[in-house]
Amino acid sequence: MDGLSETEPLLRPAQIQRKATDDIRVEGYLSVQDDTTRNAFDNVPDAKKQIGLASAVMLIFNRVIGTGAFAAPSVILRSSGSVGMTFVMWIIGTLVACAGTAVFVEFGTGLPKSGGEKTYMEFIYRRPRFLATCFYAIYGLLIGWLAVNSVVFGEYTLNALAIQPTTVNVRVAGFLCSTFCLIIHGGFLDYGLKLQDALGFFKLFVLFIIAVSGLFSLVGVPGFAVRGEYDIPHNFEWSSFWEGSGISLNAFITGMYNVIWAYSGYSNANYALSEVQDPVRTIRRAAPLALILVAVAFLSVNVAYFAVVSKQDILEGGTMAAALFFRNIFGPATERILSAVIALSVLGNLMSILFSQGRVVQELGREGVLPFSSFFASNKPFSAPLAGLFTQWLVSMIIMIAAPPGDAYLFVVNFSLYPVTMFNLLISGGLLLLYTPAFKSYEWSPPFRAWKSVVIFFFLSHVVLAILPMIPPSAGSETYEHLPYWSHVVIAVSVGMIGVIYWFVCFYWLPKKRGYRIVQETVLQDDGVPRNVLRKIPNRSDDEGRA
């Protein structure tokens, strides 16, 4: 390696220097340092920062609210057994999300740079050098985050158009939707952000309508009563509120697992912090505000559903609580309207996912550890990370088309989620390490500090989430029909090992065998954005002990 001390960070605030005058060029880019027009940490020109407070809020809100607000209440009720326990689960899940938000705000204010968990793991786990980046990179490149919700979009779009869904036409619709997201985010950045924000506000308005309608029905406002042909709910009467609460520990944990994942996405703005205006100030405001909106939306729509739909209908209806809600108040003809609303909600979710994950791939390119790093780091040709967006789109579409319905598709869903648990476990545990005297040399002193008890709570919650999939499910609640219940865990961990093997070969074995060390250099692209390149420096005799 390059002989740096154990405490010298891989990521640190850039020193403001005068421009270099040498004419060294790397792949067509000048090797220069930053001037005073650049961000003091990330070195990205201010002209590249187009995300304000509202867009940052919607980036998070759109990511969290996909189909969860419409479908999750039915799933949670089946696990909880009672209306009362359903709300207990949602409240606990909200607390976990609040703790996670505090953790990511602390990291975002201390390391205001795109990349999310990648950036934070690189900062904490500095040795062996580049190992954390290689471990994360394989997931950043190979997890097709768009695949699942692209199919969901196809299903609801076809339902809204009264077209019988099939495996083929659902995937065609999903493909067209994801391709639209790629084109607008890759070629029309300003319009993509505006559409993404508009979809977020539309989604917020729809959830507000549901919440208010449910409240009106609960207090007896004329015009919002449950139609006579449907059961009148009594879910908020004390005698029925806790009825059915005697559930097993396994069912309770499964329900909590679903609630916590319904909140997944509160870290979404952290993936694109390099493009956020005044990132430290913005993330401190945007993340809590977005979470408040999400929490109020989840809790209020649950109140609305249980005010309008009987518990038995939700359990036996075989459909989403939102569909039953609209049916009971506005009639069955509203089903297609609801499908269109959910399709638009999923579109906003897909745009938010692609926007942020494309930036993650770009950050991997900027780190210099990947083959063809200059390609992934580029903002050409439309001042947007088209290469990173295209990579996410391509992998997602391959997974969506190749994965058949049933166990294989459910496997893809679970496989996508488990690495997030591992990353959250690593960064929250790492944050606890940064608080200890052993890490004092890291000089961790961000503008925002989460309470230590909050970080511990978040860490322990993800210990549970990491262990839960390895516990045999109870009879009747098997994860898969044909695959072992632990299969997605084993494959998810094995994929990470590919990154470890890549690191071992490229950054340990080959340098040692061929007698060189790797030095990381910063170069400036012609669009003003810096990135790192790796140089192989032959060892001198006095360097061999440090290589």
Side-chain angles (χ1 to χ4, degrees):
M1 295 298 171
D2 52 8
L4 294 176
S5 71
E6 291 293 314
T7 59
E8 184 173 350
L10 289 175
L11 298 170
R12 55 192 179 275
Q15 299 299 316
I16 305 302
Q17 303 177 12
R18 64 180 177 82
K19 282 190 174 182
T21 56
D22 57 45
D23 58 357
I24 297 175
R25 291 179 179 270
V26 180
E27 298 176 9
Y29 300 118
L30 262 174
S31 179
V32 300
Q33 297 298 323
D34 21 310
D35 59 25
T36 55
T37 67
R38 302 177 189 283
N39 178 273
F41 185 90
D42 195 21
N43 231 6
V44 172
D46 289 342
K48 296 289 182 183
K49 299 180 181 296
Q50 303 185 61
I51 302 175
L53 177 62
S55 292
V57 170
M58 286 301 115
L59 194 59
I60 299 171
F61 186 80
N62 265 318
R63 176 64 181 87
V64 179
I65 305 291
T67 60
F70 306 102
S74 303
V75 178
I76 307 307
L77 178 61
R78 293 188 186 96
S79 297
S80 68
S82 73
V83 176
M85 286 304 299
T86 295
F87 282 100
V88 169
M89 289 182 174
W90 278 108
I91 291 171
I92 295 174
T94 301
L95 293 177
V96 173
C98 288
T101 299
V103 167
F104 276 92
V105 170
E106 176 166 347
F107 274 119
T109 58
L111 302 169
K113 182 179 186 292
S114 293
E117 297 96 339
K118 166 200 169 291
T119 299
Y120 313 144
M121 287 166 59
E122 287 172 343
F123 180 81
I124 299 166
Y125 305 107
R126 302 174 185 177
R127 292 295 180 270
R129 190 166 171 82
F130 303 121
L131 176 58
T133 308
C134 293
F135 175 75
Y136 184 91
I138 196 72
Y139 295 108
L141 291 174
L142 295 184
I143 293 181
W145 297 103
L146 303 178
V148 175
N149 276 1
S150 293
V151 172
V152 174
F153 173 87
E155 290 173 343
Y156 283 105
T157 299
L158 294 175
N159 192 53
L161 297 173
I163 299 174
Q164 181 65 33
T166 65
T167 300
V168 174
N169 62 17
V170 164
R171 281 161 173 71
V172 169
F175 175 84
L176 294 175
C177 173
S178 294
T179 303
F180 168 77
C181 295
L182 171 66
I183 292 171
I184 195 166
H185 274 328
F188 307 93
L189 180 58
D190 289 342
Y191 291 107
L193 279 173
K194 289 176 181 177
L195 177 58
Q196 187 170 278
D197 292 349
L199 289 170
F201 284 112
F202 168 76
K203 197 182 306 186
L204 185 61
F205 174 74
V206 170
L207 295 175
F208 174 77
I209 293 298
I210 293 175
V212 171
S213 299
L215 180 62
F216 284 177
S217 179
L218 187 63
V219 299
V221 174
F224 291 89
V226 175
R227 292 176 172 237
E229 60 268 32
Y230 305 116
D231 291 341
I232 304 298
H234 302 283
N235 295 318
F236 291 106
E237 294 179 1
W238 190 255
S239 59
S240 59
F241 191 65
W242 298 101
E243 184 181 2
S245 295
I247 59 173
S248 66
L249 178 62
N250 186 283
F252 179 82
I253 294 177
T254 301
M256 283 305 312
Y257 192 84
N258 285 303
V259 172
I260 290 171
W261 284 120
Y263 272 105
S264 179
Y266 46 76
S267 61
N268 206 45
N270 292 64
Y271 299 126
L273 275 182
S274 295
E275 298 180 41
V276 173
Q277 300 165 4
D278 194 357
V280 172
R281 184 174 184 270
T282 300
I283 197 64
R284 291 183 68 169
R285 288 158 174 76
L289 179 56
L291 187 65
I292 289 171
L293 291 174
V294 168
V296 170
F298 276 143
L299 294 173
S300 61
V301 296
N302 270 275
V303 171
Y305 295 152
F306 288 115
V308 172
V309 185
S310 70
K311 174 184 173 182
Q312 200 63 28
D313 277 353
I314 294 177
L315 289 174
E316 297 179 355
T319 185
M320 295 189 307
L324 298 172
F325 174 89
F326 276 84
R327 181 203 68 179
N328 284 14
I329 292 185
F330 305 112
T334 58
E335 180 182 356
R336 288 175 60 186
I337 297 175
L338 177 64
S339 294
V341 167
I342 295 176
L344 289 174
S345 175
V346 175
L347 173 60
N349 178 265
L350 288 169
M351 291 187 69
S352 179
I353 292 173
L354 183 61
F355 184 92
S356 58
Q357 293 304 318
R359 270 72 185 168
V360 170
V361 176
Q362 183 180 48
E363 286 304 306
L364 290 169
R366 289 180 65 193
E367 200 61 34
V369 301
L370 297 177
F372 312 108
S373 286
S374 61
F375 169 75
F376 292 114
S378 174
N379 277 306
K380 294 180 179 180
F382 304 113
S383 297
L386 182 59
L389 297 168
F390 176 79
T391 302
Q392 276 295 317
W393 173 86
L394 180 62
V395 172
S396 297
M397 294 303 96
I398 291 173
I399 292 173
M400 183 191 72
I401 293 170
D407 274 0
Y409 206 78
L410 182 57
F411 173 86
V412 170
V413 175
N414 292 328
F415 167 75
S416 301
L417 293 176
Y418 197 78
V420 179
T421 300
M422 294 193 295
F423 300 148
N424 285 343
L425 195 61
L426 286 169
I427 67 166
S428 57
L431 188 55
L432 293 173
L433 292 176
L434 291 177
Y435 296 158
T436 64
F439 282 73
K440 184 178 180 180
S441 60
Y442 282 47
E443 298 180 348
W444 181 247
S445 184
F448 172 85
R449 295 290 293 267
W451 290 340
K452 188 175 181 180
S453 57
V454 169
V455 181
I456 293 173
F457 173 66
F458 185 68
F459 173 76
L460 293 177
S461 69
H462 280 78
V463 170
V464 173
L465 290 176
I467 295 174
L468 176 64
M470 294 180 278
I471 299 175
S474 57
S477 59
E478 290 81 5
T479 306
Y480 305 108
E481 185 176 350
H482 303 292
L483 297 175
Y485 64 89
W486 41 259
S487 57
H488 63 278
V489 176
V490 172
I491 299 300
V493 174
S494 299
V495 166
M497 291 303 100
I498 296 175
V500 174
I501 294 170
Y502 173 76
W503 168 84
F504 178 81
V505 171
C506 295
F507 297 98
Y508 180 80
W509 183 71
L510 284 178
K512 188 174 182 179
K513 179 179 177 62
R514 297 180 180 178
Y516 63 83
R517 57 194 175 96
I518 296 176
V519 176
Q520 196 174 46
E521 237 179 58
T522 300
V523 298
L524 195 64
Q525 300 179 155
D526 55 8
D527 62 357
V529 176
R531 66 179 179 87
N532 296 320
V533 295
L534 303 183
R535 292 186 179 280
K536 299 175 182 179
I537 308 297
N539 291 326
R540 301 191 303 269
S541 58
D542 58 340
D543 287 335
E544 290 178 356
R546 296 184 296 166

mmCIF file with all atom_site columns, all heavy atoms in Angstrom, residues 140-153:
data_model
loop_
_atom_site.group_PDB
_atom_site.id
_atom_site.type_symbol
_atom_site.label_atom_id
_atom_site.label_alt_id
_atom_site.label_comp_id
_atom_site.label_asym_id
_atom_site.label_entity_id
_atom_site.label_seq_id
_atom_site.pdbx_PDB_ins_code
_atom_site.Cartn_x
_atom_site.Cartn_y
_atom_site.Cartn_z
_atom_site.occupancy
_atom_site.B_iso_or_equiv
_atom_site.pdbx_formal_charge
_atom_site.auth_seq_id
_atom_site.auth_comp_id
_atom_site.auth_asym_id
_atom_site.auth_atom_id
_atom_site.pdbx_PDB_model_num
ATOM 1   N N   . GLY A 1 140 ? -23.372 -2.209 -4.313  1.00 0.00 ? 140 GLY A N   1
ATOM 2   C CA  . GLY A 1 140 ? -23.779 -0.999 -5.014  1.00 0.00 ? 140 GLY A CA  1
ATOM 3   C C   . GLY A 1 140 ? -23.986 -1.222 -6.499  1.00 0.00 ? 140 GLY A C   1
ATOM 4   O O   . GLY A 1 140 ? -24.841 -0.590 -7.124  1.00 0.00 ? 140 GLY A O   1
ATOM 5   N N   . LEU A 1 141 ? -23.214 -2.153 -7.057  1.00 0.00 ? 141 LEU A N   1
ATOM 6   C CA  . LEU A 1 141 ? -23.309 -2.419 -8.486  1.00 0.00 ? 141 LEU A CA  1
ATOM 7   C C   . LEU A 1 141 ? -24.336 -3.495 -8.836  1.00 0.00 ? 141 LEU A C   1
ATOM 8   O O   . LEU A 1 141 ? -25.005 -3.404 -9.864  1.00 0.00 ? 141 LEU A O   1
ATOM 9   C CB  . LEU A 1 141 ? -21.940 -2.849 -9.024  1.00 0.00 ? 141 LEU A CB  1
ATOM 10  C CG  . LEU A 1 141 ? -20.844 -1.783 -9.070  1.00 0.00 ? 141 LEU A CG  1
ATOM 11  C CD1 . LEU A 1 141 ? -19.529 -2.410 -9.471  1.00 0.00 ? 141 LEU A CD1 1
ATOM 12  C CD2 . LEU A 1 141 ? -21.219 -0.665 -10.029 1.00 0.00 ? 141 LEU A CD2 1
ATOM 13  N N   . LEU A 1 142 ? -24.482 -4.505 -7.992  1.00 0.00 ? 142 LEU A N   1
ATOM 14  C CA  . LEU A 1 142 ? -25.237 -5.695 -8.386  1.00 0.00 ? 142 LEU A CA  1
ATOM 15  C C   . LEU A 1 142 ? -26.646 -5.793 -7.816  1.00 0.00 ? 142 LEU A C   1
ATOM 16  O O   . LEU A 1 142 ? -27.415 -6.644 -8.252  1.00 0.00 ? 142 LEU A O   1
ATOM 17  C CB  . LEU A 1 142 ? -24.451 -6.959 -8.003  1.00 0.00 ? 142 LEU A CB  1
ATOM 18  C CG  . LEU A 1 142 ? -23.116 -7.162 -8.723  1.00 0.00 ? 142 LEU A CG  1
ATOM 19  C CD1 . LEU A 1 142 ? -22.498 -8.498 -8.325  1.00 0.00 ? 142 LEU A CD1 1
ATOM 20  C CD2 . LEU A 1 142 ? -23.292 -7.097 -10.238 1.00 0.00 ? 142 LEU A CD2 1
ATOM 21  N N   . ILE A 1 143 ? -26.986 -4.987 -6.831  1.00 0.00 ? 143 ILE A N   1
ATOM 22  C CA  . ILE A 1 143 ? -28.357 -5.037 -6.322  1.00 0.00 ? 143 ILE A CA  1
ATOM 23  C C   . ILE A 1 143 ? -29.240 -4.183 -7.219  1.00 0.00 ? 143 ILE A C   1
ATOM 24  O O   . ILE A 1 143 ? -29.027 -2.980 -7.354  1.00 0.00 ? 143 ILE A O   1
ATOM 25  C CB  . ILE A 1 143 ? -28.437 -4.541 -4.864  1.00 0.00 ? 143 ILE A CB  1
ATOM 26  C CG1 . ILE A 1 143 ? -27.711 -5.512 -3.939  1.00 0.00 ? 143 ILE A CG1 1
ATOM 27  C CG2 . ILE A 1 143 ? -29.899 -4.413 -4.425  1.00 0.00 ? 143 ILE A CG2 1
ATOM 28  C CD1 . ILE A 1 143 ? -27.755 -5.137 -2.484  1.00 0.00 ? 143 ILE A CD1 1
ATOM 29  N N   . GLY A 1 144 ? -30.221 -4.793 -7.809  1.00 0.00 ? 144 GLY A N   1
ATOM 30  C CA  . GLY A 1 144 ? -31.127 -4.070 -8.709  1.00 0.00 ? 144 GLY A CA  1
ATOM 31  C C   . GLY A 1 144 ? -32.281 -3.468 -7.935  1.00 0.00 ? 144 GLY A C   1
ATOM 32  O O   . GLY A 1 144 ? -33.360 -4.059 -7.826  1.00 0.00 ? 144 GLY A O   1
ATOM 33  N N   . TRP A 1 145 ? -32.073 -2.282 -7.399  1.00 0.00 ? 145 TRP A N   1
ATOM 34  C CA  . TRP A 1 145 ? -33.054 -1.673 -6.500  1.00 0.00 ? 145 TRP A CA  1
ATOM 35  C C   . TRP A 1 145 ? -34.375 -1.369 -7.202  1.00 0.00 ? 145 TRP A C   1
ATOM 36  O O   . TRP A 1 145 ? -35.415 -1.252 -6.549  1.00 0.00 ? 145 TRP A O   1
ATOM 37  C CB  . TRP A 1 145 ? -32.483 -0.386 -5.909  1.00 0.00 ? 145 TRP A CB  1
ATOM 38  C CG  . TRP A 1 145 ? -31.265 -0.603 -5.060  1.00 0.00 ? 145 TRP A CG  1
ATOM 39  C CD1 . TRP A 1 145 ? -29.971 -0.359 -5.414  1.00 0.00 ? 145 TRP A CD1 1
ATOM 40  C CD2 . TRP A 1 145 ? -31.216 -1.123 -3.724  1.00 0.00 ? 145 TRP A CD2 1
ATOM 41  N NE1 . TRP A 1 145 ? -29.120 -0.683 -4.386  1.00 0.00 ? 145 TRP A NE1 1
ATOM 42  C CE2 . TRP A 1 145 ? -29.866 -1.153 -3.332  1.00 0.00 ? 145 TRP A CE2 1
ATOM 43  C CE3 . TRP A 1 145 ? -32.193 -1.564 -2.821  1.00 0.00 ? 145 TRP A CE3 1
ATOM 44  C CZ2 . TRP A 1 145 ? -29.460 -1.605 -2.077  1.00 0.00 ? 145 TRP A CZ2 1
ATOM 45  C CZ3 . TRP A 1 145 ? -31.779 -2.011 -1.574  1.00 0.00 ? 145 TRP A CZ3 1
ATOM 46  C CH2 . TRP A 1 145 ? -30.436 -2.029 -1.209  1.00 0.00 ? 145 TRP A CH2 1
ATOM 47  N N   . LEU A 1 146 ? -34.351 -1.224 -8.516  1.00 0.00 ? 146 LEU A N   1
ATOM 48  C CA  . LEU A 1 146 ? -35.578 -0.869 -9.230  1.00 0.00 ? 146 LEU A CA  1
ATOM 49  C C   . LEU A 1 146 ? -36.441 -2.074 -9.587  1.00 0.00 ? 146 LEU A C   1
ATOM 50  O O   . LEU A 1 146 ? -37.619 -1.907 -9.941  1.00 0.00 ? 146 LEU A O   1
ATOM 51  C CB  . LEU A 1 146 ? -35.235 -0.126 -10.533 1.00 0.00 ? 146 LEU A CB  1
ATOM 52  C CG  . LEU A 1 146 ? -34.393 1.138  -10.439 1.00 0.00 ? 146 LEU A CG  1
ATOM 53  C CD1 . LEU A 1 146 ? -34.128 1.670  -11.842 1.00 0.00 ? 146 LEU A CD1 1
ATOM 54  C CD2 . LEU A 1 146 ? -35.080 2.182  -9.604  1.00 0.00 ? 146 LEU A CD2 1
ATOM 55  N N   . ALA A 1 147 ? -35.893 -3.275 -9.514  1.00 0.00 ? 147 ALA A N   1
ATOM 56  C CA  . ALA A 1 147 ? -36.559 -4.446 -10.089 1.00 0.00 ? 147 ALA A CA  1
ATOM 57  C C   . ALA A 1 147 ? -37.932 -4.703 -9.480  1.00 0.00 ? 147 ALA A C   1
ATOM 58  O O   . ALA A 1 147 ? -38.923 -4.858 -10.196 1.00 0.00 ? 147 ALA A O   1
ATOM 59  C CB  . ALA A 1 147 ? -35.659 -5.680 -9.921  1.00 0.00 ? 147 ALA A CB  1
ATOM 60  N N   . VAL A 1 148 ? -38.002 -4.737 -8.157  1.00 0.00 ? 148 VAL A N   1
ATOM 61  C CA  . VAL A 1 148 ? -39.246 -5.125 -7.494  1.00 0.00 ? 148 VAL A CA  1
ATOM 62  C C   . VAL A 1 148 ? -40.347 -4.112 -7.741  1.00 0.00 ? 148 VAL A C   1
ATOM 63  O O   . VAL A 1 148 ? -41.460 -4.454 -8.171  1.00 0.00 ? 148 VAL A O   1
ATOM 64  C CB  . VAL A 1 148 ? -39.010 -5.311 -5.985  1.00 0.00 ? 148 VAL A CB  1
ATOM 65  C CG1 . VAL A 1 148 ? -40.320 -5.589 -5.266  1.00 0.00 ? 148 VAL A CG1 1
ATOM 66  C CG2 . VAL A 1 148 ? -38.020 -6.443 -5.736  1.00 0.00 ? 148 VAL A CG2 1
ATOM 67  N N   . ASN A 1 149 ? -40.055 -2.840 -7.501  1.00 0.00 ? 149 ASN A N   1
ATOM 68  C CA  . ASN A 1 149 ? -41.100 -1.827 -7.639  1.00 0.00 ? 149 ASN A CA  1
ATOM 69  C C   . ASN A 1 149 ? -41.448 -1.529 -9.090  1.00 0.00 ? 149 ASN A C   1
ATOM 70  O O   . ASN A 1 149 ? -42.512 -0.970 -9.363  1.00 0.00 ? 149 ASN A O   1
ATOM 71  C CB  . ASN A 1 149 ? -40.704 -0.549 -6.898  1.00 0.00 ? 149 ASN A CB  1
ATOM 72  C CG  . ASN A 1 149 ? -41.056 -0.631 -5.419  1.00 0.00 ? 149 ASN A CG  1
ATOM 73  O OD1 . ASN A 1 149 ? -41.572 -1.642 -4.946  1.00 0.00 ? 149 ASN A OD1 1
ATOM 74  N ND2 . ASN A 1 149 ? -40.773 0.423  -4.682  1.00 0.00 ? 149 ASN A ND2 1
ATOM 75  N N   . SER A 1 150 ? -40.570 -1.877 -10.017 1.00 0.00 ? 150 SER A N   1
ATOM 76  C CA  . SER A 1 150 ? -40.942 -1.758 -11.425 1.00 0.00 ? 150 SER A CA  1
ATOM 77  C C   . SER A 1 150 ? -42.085 -2.710 -11.751 1.00 0.00 ? 150 SER A C   1
ATOM 78  O O   . SER A 1 150 ? -43.020 -2.362 -12.488 1.00 0.00 ? 150 SER A O   1
ATOM 79  C CB  . SER A 1 150 ? -39.741 -2.060 -12.325 1.00 0.00 ? 150 SER A CB  1
ATOM 80  O OG  . SER A 1 150 ? -38.743 -1.079 -12.186 1.00 0.00 ? 150 SER A OG  1
ATOM 81  N N   . VAL A 1 151 ? -42.026 -3.906 -11.193 1.00 0.00 ? 151 VAL A N   1
ATOM 82  C CA  . VAL A 1 151 ? -43.116 -4.872 -11.384 1.00 0.00 ? 151 VAL A CA  1
ATOM 83  C C   . VAL A 1 151 ? -44.391 -4.378 -10.707 1.00 0.00 ? 151 VAL A C   1
ATOM 84  O O   . VAL A 1 151 ? -45.492 -4.476 -11.263 1.00 0.00 ? 151 VAL A O   1
ATOM 85  C CB  . VAL A 1 151 ? -42.709 -6.256 -10.840 1.00 0.00 ? 151 VAL A CB  1
ATOM 86  C CG1 . VAL A 1 151 ? -43.895 -7.212 -10.842 1.00 0.00 ? 151 VAL A CG1 1
ATOM 87  C CG2 . VAL A 1 151 ? -41.571 -6.827 -11.664 1.00 0.00 ? 151 VAL A CG2 1
ATOM 88  N N   . VAL A 1 152 ? -44.256 -3.824 -9.504  1.00 0.00 ? 152 VAL A N   1
ATOM 89  C CA  . VAL A 1 152 ? -45.420 -3.279 -8.786  1.00 0.00 ? 152 VAL A CA  1
ATOM 90  C C   . VAL A 1 152 ? -46.069 -2.174 -9.611  1.00 0.00 ? 152 VAL A C   1
ATOM 91  O O   . VAL A 1 152 ? -47.300 -2.113 -9.743  1.00 0.00 ? 152 VAL A O   1
ATOM 92  C CB  . VAL A 1 152 ? -45.008 -2.754 -7.397  1.00 0.00 ? 152 VAL A CB  1
ATOM 93  C CG1 . VAL A 1 152 ? -46.177 -2.053 -6.718  1.00 0.00 ? 152 VAL A CG1 1
ATOM 94  C CG2 . VAL A 1 152 ? -44.506 -3.890 -6.525  1.00 0.00 ? 152 VAL A CG2 1
ATOM 95  N N   . PHE A 1 153 ? -45.247 -1.304 -10.196 1.00 0.00 ? 153 PHE A N   1
ATOM 96  C CA  . PHE A 1 153 ? -45.784 -0.247 -11.052 1.00 0.00 ? 153 PHE A CA  1
ATOM 97  C C   . PHE A 1 153 ? -46.567 -0.850 -12.212 1.00 0.00 ? 153 PHE A C   1
ATOM 98  O O   . PHE A 1 153 ? -47.668 -0.382 -12.547 1.00 0.00 ? 153 PHE A O   1
ATOM 99  C CB  . PHE A 1 153 ? -44.655 0.636  -11.588 1.00 0.00 ? 153 PHE A CB  1
ATOM 100 C CG  . PHE A 1 153 ? -45.112 1.648  -12.606 1.00 0.00 ? 153 PHE A CG  1
ATOM 101 C CD1 . PHE A 1 153 ? -45.588 2.883  -12.200 1.00 0.00 ? 153 PHE A CD1 1
ATOM 102 C CD2 . PHE A 1 153 ? -45.082 1.360  -13.968 1.00 0.00 ? 153 PHE A CD2 1
ATOM 103 C CE1 . PHE A 1 153 ? -46.032 3.810  -13.130 1.00 0.00 ? 153 PHE A CE1 1
ATOM 104 C CE2 . PHE A 1 153 ? -45.521 2.282  -14.904 1.00 0.00 ? 153 PHE A CE2 1
ATOM 105 C CZ  . PHE A 1 153 ? -45.997 3.514  -14.483 1.00 0.00 ? 153 PHE A CZ  1
#
